Amino acid sequence: MAPAFAAAAQPTVDAQVAESTTAGAIAPAKIAEPPKEVHRQSGGGDDIEQLIDLIAPSAPAVPAVTPAPPAAAPAAPKVVQAAVPKIDLWERIRRGFKLPDLTTKFAVQSTRWYSEQPDYIARMSSRASLYLFHIVEEIEKRGMPMELALLPFVESAMQPEAESHAKAVGLWQFIPSTGKRYSLEQNQFKDERRDVIESTRAALDYLQKLHDDFGDWHLALAAYNCGEGCIARALQRSRAAKKPLDYSSLRLPRETQHYVPKLQAIKNIVRDPAKHGLELPAIRNEPYFVALPRTRDIDVATAARLAEMPVDEFRALNPAFKRPVIVAAGQPTILLPADRAETFKANLAAFEVTGQPLASWTAYTLRENETLAQVATRVGLTEASLREANRIPPRYRLAARSTILIPRDETMEDDIAAEKIAASFALVPEQANYRQMMYRVRRGDTVFSVAKRWNVKPDEIAAWNNLHGNTLFAGQRLALTVARAPAAKKPIAHKSSVVRSTASSSNQRSAAAAQARQ
């Protein structure tokens, strides 16, 4: 008999945290260490974990294997081709390189910079182990150059949570408009620009389109960075000046001049890491994750626990989900490590037998003039918890008729309806005198020093910019919401000053007239 599940008193709120990055400089942004594994505490009456313990099968005994007797040697030896040893994913990538190498000074500088950052390369490669096999598979299916598999190293440092100052997000750094053009869904529950499978599909579609436009992969890569119009104008200028039309000869924005050389630098290191004093971590040439469709709403935290993995690791594979609940009406697919899929299915089946809902959240539309604080009091949460669940930053409030998540109670049995996915969710400043501005970080700045300068709180800066940690880098752009400066009042001239000024002007006019008569 399966143990009864006790309903949680309050849903767990786990807001997604992303690190801000930019591809503007030669030196990539400093990347925080990957999150440490969160260990579950034993005991405490966690019903899901108790059930998991009950249904987890014990490891089967491994039977002894009797070696077969050696086969008799053939009468006449014949030549047999040596078996190709199983290669790792790095070697598979190397075998797919097709692009001509760049040997420009920027490529040399970028290669030297990356070579001097072994810890940075190690962190990026470790993150890549989750996503790289899928990217390589998709590139091979399309017959595209394997150098493209290394582009997320340049774009996002292999972080699907990465967000630039231009609001480009994900492994492939799509801005909102380009994401919509390539069918990446973006709503309050999900942003497919962060989705590993969908963003890879869209990026390769876009890159193929750019190659079809310009007929050259280096130009296609440059256009991916600065846009089709930028490259078209650069080619037009070179044609008019009767200059070469290759990437290295074009006059391009500074960032784009460094962009393709950075990809060349990563290629140089992957091709021969030992030459550059580096060692790449082994990545197996096999799928890391599997995709499972969902037909019912489920909390992110519950999905992770049913898969018996930390929430941080679950989010690393499923960064597109922006809220603590995965809404089935959006036809979501969740990714799980290949060795966790069967565990998830078994635990899910056992959980569903209990009849308890998998999701502890539902959608609610604010009434006219209703505040978030009022809703929080009614549902038994703090306003801060409700803000965290709905990702409402400090100094902002919800516009009227916005749809938000609230805890689901025993009277709410249905999953979130499809029409709620595209419902309104708008943020406005809490006070009319607030304005949003972009601040460019100077050398030596910290989150605390910037907060003091602009009279805001450090945790507000972190929330507005998806930061964790106090480290900033020169050139980084921060979005700040600050009070508008009061309008400067014009000084009112004293009456005696006005009289003196008028008399002086009159005297000057009389003197000028007299001089003219002489």
Side-chain angles (χ1 to χ4, degrees), residues 106 214 218-223 225-238 245-261:
F106 292 142
F214 298 109
H218 285 155
L219 293 180
L221 287 163
N225 177 252
C226 69
E228 299 98 309
C230 169
I231 300 303
R233 290 189 294 272
L235 289 170
Q236 187 176 9
R237 287 193 298 267
S238 288
L245 303 179
D246 60 295
Y247 163 79
S248 300
S249 302
L250 297 182
R251 192 171 85 244
L252 297 170
R254 178 178 175 81
E255 179 180 322
T256 310
Q257 291 177 19
H258 293 278
Y259 181 75
V260 182

Side-chain angles (χ1 to χ4, degrees), residues 69-78:
K78 50 184 179 180

Side-chain angles (χ1 to χ4, degrees), residues 13-18 160-161 163 169 176 180 185-195 298 300 314-315 318-327 332 361 386-392 405 421 423 425 427 466:
V13 179
D14 49 6
Q16 179 180 2
V17 179
E161 309 91 351
E163 180 173 348
V169 302
K180 290 176 182 177
E185 189 177 357
Q186 301 164 57
N187 55 53
Q188 63 165 312
F189 294 101
K190 181 171 63 172
D191 188 345
E192 287 186 336
R193 294 179 298 160
R194 302 181 190 273
D195 185 275
I298 186 172
V300 168
F314 181 86
R315 284 200 174 278
N318 299 277
F321 302 126
K322 298 166 62 177
R323 299 290 187 264
V325 63
I326 300 169
V327 181
W361 297 92
L386 207 53
R387 278 181 172 272
E388 185 180 6
N390 290 279
R391 301 181 70 184
I392 303 171
L405 286 181
I421 295 177
F425 180 83
L427 298 172
N466 294 323

Side-chain angles (χ1 to χ4, degrees), residues 367-390:
R367 304 187 190 114
E368 203 70 36
N369 299 323
E370 188 174 32
T371 67
L372 195 67
Q374 292 170 337
V375 176
T377 300
R378 191 166 68 250
V379 301
L381 281 183
T382 64
E383 182 180 353
S385 296
L386 207 53
R387 278 181 172 272
E388 185 180 6
N390 290 279

